[in-house]
Amino acid sequence: MAYEILMPQLSDSMEEGKLISWKVKASDAVKTGDVIAEVESDKAIMEVQSFKNGVVSELLVEEGAEVPVGTVIARIEVEGSTEKVVESREQGAEEVVRSEEVGGRSVREVSSEKVAGSNEKVETVIENEAEKSHQNEYKTTHSQSSIFNPQSASGAIASPKAKAVASRYGIDIETLQASGKLPTPAHEDDVEAVLMKRYFTPKAWRLLQTYHLSADLFRLDKKQREADIWEYIKKYNIPLPKPLSANQKAVIATVTQAAAKPVYHLYDSIDATLLHQYESKTHTVTVWLLKLFSEAMMRHETFRTTLKDDTLQVWPHASISLAMADGEALFMPVLKAVDTLSLEETAQALQALKTKVKKRKLSAEEMQGSTFGLSNLGMTGITRFDAMINGNDCAIAAIGSPKDGTIAVTLTLDHRIVNGFQAAEFMQTLKALAKDETFFKGML
């Protein structure tokens, strides 16, 4: 039985994933629980495991490639069966493929049975094994439009796209294949390699690819050099196209969602005296802020509330999403149930998340479950700023740098969940806690 591994959906906003690395290769034996790949979602890198024992038969996605959620990325042949079971998520059907040899020919029976008891459909296909073997010689990773039928081709043996490129630039495929300078069959990439060697230096060609420029833009009466391409780019003010990273896509999705919320802001500040007095290498200002906000959240249930459809959900613990950056990438991992953690445990949980952010090893579970967010730019010297609400949180606090013994706090609030009076009461509690030395001593 062929067990198919799909590109998983690791978050609600994830539409496609990037295959970071394979941990197995074709013909490797695997068992349930073995990690077979690392996948990058829009928010983190996660391990993909096998849930069957068997042998890896196919790895269908190259490392570094991005494919939509639900795409088959690998197949594992489960021991002891020649059946292939594929679950159809859209149709709710199960397809079973059985193969057997009949008189030197391969008989493949495909039966589709609707789970709900609809009519059974049986289709039988007879294939000549010799013809199938011949066609397999020409299997390629190129797109469908690049596949050619060698039996119907004459002269140059190449895909339609390869022939089109060759015709456009006067490249004789048949002659080059006869001299061994082009493979048989030839594909678009092969012909473009000839084009590059003939009319562009390697650096010039890489620059063309980087800026997505067509060779048609240049006169092919000489060999174009890197300087020639740069001259064109600068003359016509060509921008550098930079594809969005998975993390950038996630941030765009989050801020787009946040922008649709009816929000308002509350601007205030808290006394920073005790924060700095009890600050240490381990118990940083951020650690103390997490404890201050979690305590205020426990006293004001509105800040432990999310909205789902037409129902308010009040959660029992204070779970806080915290903005963390790794280079230019931004993440919002969640510290769960901060109200139940000691000061030391909070510091350890924070450090563990920082390490995972740096290694891009956050799990989907570690990115979910918050009701309130915290963004601290105090270490950058920014005195006050606005932050956008993360995911389904009801609010977020933007923390500025200390000034005149105080720290600016800007609350961004979802007006559907938190009204102005509730926000003001929450802020008064936070201000009182920041000046309560018994609170700080009780945490030690």
Side-chain angles (χ1 to χ4, degrees):
M1 181 173 71
Y3 164 55
E4 296 188 336
I5 307 290
L6 308 182
M7 174 59 71
Q9 184 170 26
L10 305 175
S11 69
D12 292 340
S13 59
M14 179 178 173
E15 296 180 355
E16 61 182 20
K18 182 176 182 179
L19 198 293
I20 298 299
S21 64
W22 287 111
K23 302 303 181 184
V24 295
K25 59 183 182 298
S27 78
D28 280 358
V30 295
K31 59 183 183 297
T32 300
D34 283 354
V35 176
I36 67 167
E38 283 189 336
V39 168
E40 182 181 26
S41 73
D42 52 2
K43 295 180 178 179
I45 292 179
M46 288 191 63
E47 295 176 338
V48 177
Q49 299 180 357
S50 172
F51 292 97
K52 300 282 186 180
N53 298 333
V55 176
V56 178
S57 59
E58 291 181 283
L59 301 180
L60 301 173
V61 176
E62 294 182 358
E63 291 184 348
E66 294 187 20
V67 296
V69 167
T71 300
V72 178
I73 61 175
R75 290 191 176 94
I76 295 175
E77 194 65 31
V78 179
E79 299 169 354
S81 175
T82 59
E83 292 186 346
K84 172 184 173 183
V85 178
V86 182
E87 290 186 359
S88 171
R89 294 188 301 171
E90 294 182 356
Q91 299 178 1
E94 185 180 80
E95 179 183 77
V96 180
V97 182
R98 300 179 180 87
S99 298
E100 59 178 312
E101 295 293 326
V102 180
R105 311 176 86 185
S106 174
V107 179
R108 186 183 62 185
E109 180 183 279
V110 181
S111 64
S112 297
E113 301 179 7
K114 294 290 183 179
V115 174
S118 58
N119 293 332
E120 181 180 284
K121 175 184 176 183
V122 179
E123 174 188 352
T124 302
V125 181
I126 307 294
E127 296 176 336
N128 183 288
E129 196 62 36
E131 178 182 340
K132 182 177 179 182
S133 175
H134 181 61
Q135 290 176 344
N136 283 343
E137 295 177 9
Y138 300 99
K139 282 187 177 179
T140 176
T141 56
H142 290 259
S143 62
Q144 282 298 117
S145 58
S146 296
I147 296 176
F148 82 102
N149 184 347
Q151 294 179 331
S152 64
S154 60
I157 302 177
S159 69
K161 277 192 173 183
K163 289 182 178 180
V165 173
S167 175
R168 188 186 314 155
Y169 297 108
I171 295 174
D172 188 336
I173 293 178
E174 188 174 359
T175 299
L176 290 173
Q177 285 179 331
S179 64
K181 294 180 180 179
L182 264 182
T184 302
H187 293 281
E188 183 181 11
D189 291 346
D190 304 318
V191 178
E192 286 183 344
V194 172
L195 175 66
M196 182 270 285
K197 291 178 181 178
R198 185 175 295 181
Y199 296 115
F200 297 88
T201 66
K203 287 185 177 180
W205 186 258
R206 283 196 295 271
L207 199 54
L208 275 185
Q209 303 304 304
T210 300
Y211 276 81
H212 299 178
L213 297 175
S214 171
D216 294 337
L217 297 171
F218 301 89
R219 295 184 60 182
L220 302 183
D221 54 359
K222 67 165 188 172
K223 197 156 191 171
Q224 301 289 331
R225 302 189 176 277
E226 184 181 22
D228 300 319
I229 311 302
W230 274 122
E231 182 181 353
Y232 181 90
I233 290 170
K234 292 176 181 178
K235 179 180 179 180
Y236 293 101
N237 196 29
I238 306 297
L240 173 65
K242 295 183 68 174
L244 291 171
S245 67
N247 179 260
Q248 288 170 322
K249 291 177 181 179
V251 171
I252 290 172
T254 298
V255 299
T256 301
Q257 178 186 9
K261 294 179 179 179
V263 302
Y264 65 102
H265 300 90
L266 189 152
Y267 303 93
D268 209 331
S269 59
I270 60 175
D271 191 290
T273 305
L274 294 177
L275 277 170
H276 293 313
Q277 180 180 326
Y278 286 90
E279 177 187 9
S280 67
K281 185 176 181 180
T282 303
H283 306 146
T284 63
V285 169
T286 300
V287 172
W288 281 112
L289 286 172
L290 285 165
K291 293 305 296 180
L292 284 171
F293 276 96
S294 67
E295 179 63 25
M297 290 169 67
M298 294 309 296
R299 299 186 188 185
H300 299 271
E301 69 173 30
T302 308
F303 286 79
R304 290 181 281 113
T305 301
T306 56
L307 177 64
K308 184 176 183 181
D309 299 326
D310 60 350
T311 303
L312 290 173
Q313 300 175 308
V314 182
W315 301 88
H317 294 294
S319 297
I320 302 173
S321 57
L322 181 64
M324 294 185 185
D326 178 41
E328 294 184 354
L330 180 65
F331 300 89
M332 293 290 290
V334 178
L335 285 93
K336 304 288 180 64
V338 182
D339 57 295
T340 67
L341 304 179
S342 67
L343 189 67
E344 189 62 34
E345 289 170 335
T346 303
Q348 291 172 357
L350 177 60
Q351 185 56 50
L353 286 180
K354 285 182 178 179
T355 300
K356 289 190 175 184
V357 165
K358 189 174 183 65
K359 294 181 178 180
R360 304 290 178 91
K361 293 290 187 180
L362 289 167
S363 68
E365 175 64 23
E366 289 166 327
M367 302 292 290
Q368 301 170 355
S370 59
T371 65
F372 184 85
L374 200 62
S375 180
N376 185 4
L377 290 181
M379 69 292 295
T380 68
I382 300 297
T383 55
R384 186 182 290 279
F385 68 102
D386 290 344
M388 301 191 78
I389 297 175
N390 177 55
N392 295 319
D393 292 355
C394 66
I396 188 169
I399 310 298
S401 61
K403 183 179 180 182
D404 300 328
T406 63
I407 293 177
V409 176
T410 302
L411 293 180
T412 303
L413 305 117
D414 187 338
H415 215 318
R416 299 171 303 173
I417 304 173
V418 187
N419 63 42
F421 181 72
Q422 292 167 324
E425 284 192 318
F426 176 84
M427 197 65 218
Q428 293 304 316
T429 297
L430 186 69
K431 290 165 69 174
L433 285 169
K435 297 174 70 174
D436 184 358
E437 191 161 9
T438 58
F439 172 80
F440 284 84
K441 288 181 178 180
M443 289 289 111
L444 297 175

